[in-house]
Amino acid sequence: MLLAIDSGNTNTVFAVFDGATVVAEWRSSTRADRTADEYGVWLGQLMALKGLTPADITEAIIASVVPASLFDLKTLCRAYFGVDPLIVGTPGVDLGIDILMDRPEEVGADRLVNAVGAHIEYGGPLIVVDFGTATTFDVVDRDGNYLGGAIAPGPNLSLQALHTAAAQLPRVAVGRPPSVIGKATVSAMRSGIYWGYVSLIEGMVRRIAEEAGEPMRVIATGGLASLFGEGTEAIDHYDPDLTLKGLREIHRRNTAT
């Protein structure tokens, strides 16, 4: 079985694949100071609840945008599962796509993995909108090559900035308000974040398609994707496991004989 690890700025997702099927999936808050032993004890207990043992894991792959966490995640795979993981973004790991950027080495591993997963599942050309700590827009051509994209602050990050920088603005949760015009401070903040981000999605999708010169399918992923997808027709598909699918495909491309 394959252990796929997606380490993001906010959460780290661990998934076990049996072939193309996800048989178990767990999510942990990302902490750079979490050791391999802490990961090992936590993950081992969760695996046992699913009837899995460390011996079931025969391969592993990691994509991380948190360099400080990578050492302990690699150590976890080696010490607790006895496997040497593939690391997305390191020399020798072939993504199977061209990265058509001025500085390909600067592109986050998660964005490239999403591009691979989206193209395998939905073809191209397409735009991947990932609602994470940042909201990213990634553009993939019909051959699966990564063309670039855009990065904006995520909804939760924007709300945190409002609360921190404005003395009279409270901390509120992201949610879909019943109307655009807020009648109180909290409802006005929720409207600004929710409908503001819906407008961001619609505007960016339209502008990217215009610049590309052709219609593009839009795939959404990330924790808040389903919530914002309810407010717009600009999103064609919601795929919560897109990154994991990309990791599995990259592993297949690097281990197929």
Side-chain angles (χ1 to χ4, degrees):
M1 293 184 179
L2 170 67
L3 175 64
I5 304 174
D6 170 29
S7 179
N9 289 299
T10 303
N11 293 313
T12 299
V13 179
F14 299 81
V16 176
F17 280 91
D18 185 1
T21 304
V22 177
V23 296
E25 182 179 336
W26 307 279
R27 186 177 301 267
S28 170
S29 59
T30 298
R31 277 179 33 203
D33 61 349
R34 183 164 288 164
T35 67
D37 292 330
E38 289 175 311
Y39 280 123
V41 171
W42 174 80
L43 190 56
Q45 292 174 335
L46 291 173
M47 289 178 65
L49 292 174
K50 293 287 188 177
L52 299 170
T53 70
D56 292 323
I57 304 301
T58 57
E59 299 171 293
I61 184 168
I62 301 171
S64 177
V65 296
V66 185
S69 296
L70 189 54
F71 174 80
D72 286 297
L73 291 172
K74 290 191 290 186
T75 302
L76 164 72
C77 294
R78 292 165 178 159
Y80 283 85
F81 302 105
V83 297
D84 197 31
L86 291 176
I87 311 296
V88 177
T90 57
V93 175
D94 181 17
L95 302 184
I97 63 173
D98 290 329
I99 306 170
L100 306 178
M101 297 277 288
D102 294 336
R103 296 185 177 181
E105 70 279 2
E106 293 182 354
V107 184
D110 55 340
R111 302 177 70 188
L112 298 176
V113 173
N114 282 345
V116 172
H119 187 259
I120 284 295
E121 290 288 317
Y122 305 101
L126 53 81
I127 301 167
V128 180
V129 186
D130 189 347
F131 292 87
T133 304
T135 298
T136 57
F137 299 81
D138 297 305
V139 186
V140 182
D141 69 15
R142 63 183 63 255
D143 296 319
N145 299 316
Y146 183 84
L147 302 183
I151 303 173
N156 283 316
L157 192 60
S158 295
L159 278 172
Q160 180 182 337
L162 278 175
H163 171 67
T164 301
Q168 290 187 305
L169 296 183
R171 187 184 301 275
V172 301
V174 178
R176 180 177 179 174
S179 61
V180 177
I181 301 173
K183 298 295 187 179
T185 297
V186 169
S187 60
M189 291 175 67
R190 285 179 173 156
S191 175
I193 290 296
Y194 186 84
W195 295 114
Y197 270 85
V198 166
S199 299
L200 170 69
I201 297 162
E202 294 172 341
M204 287 298 294
V205 164
R206 176 179 56 80
R207 289 176 182 275
I208 289 171
E210 287 176 354
E211 190 168 302
E214 59 183 337
M216 310 193 85
R217 187 174 297 179
V218 180
I219 316 302
T221 192
L224 293 173
S226 61
L227 175 64
F228 284 95
E230 296 171 359
T232 179
E233 296 182 357
I235 294 173
D236 297 304
H237 300 282
Y238 165 56
D239 193 333
D241 293 326
L242 186 66
T243 310
L244 296 176
K245 292 174 181 177
L247 283 171
R248 184 186 65 83
E249 174 61 19
I250 292 169
H251 182 271
R252 188 197 65 79
R253 292 178 179 182
N254 284 269
T255 58
T257 56

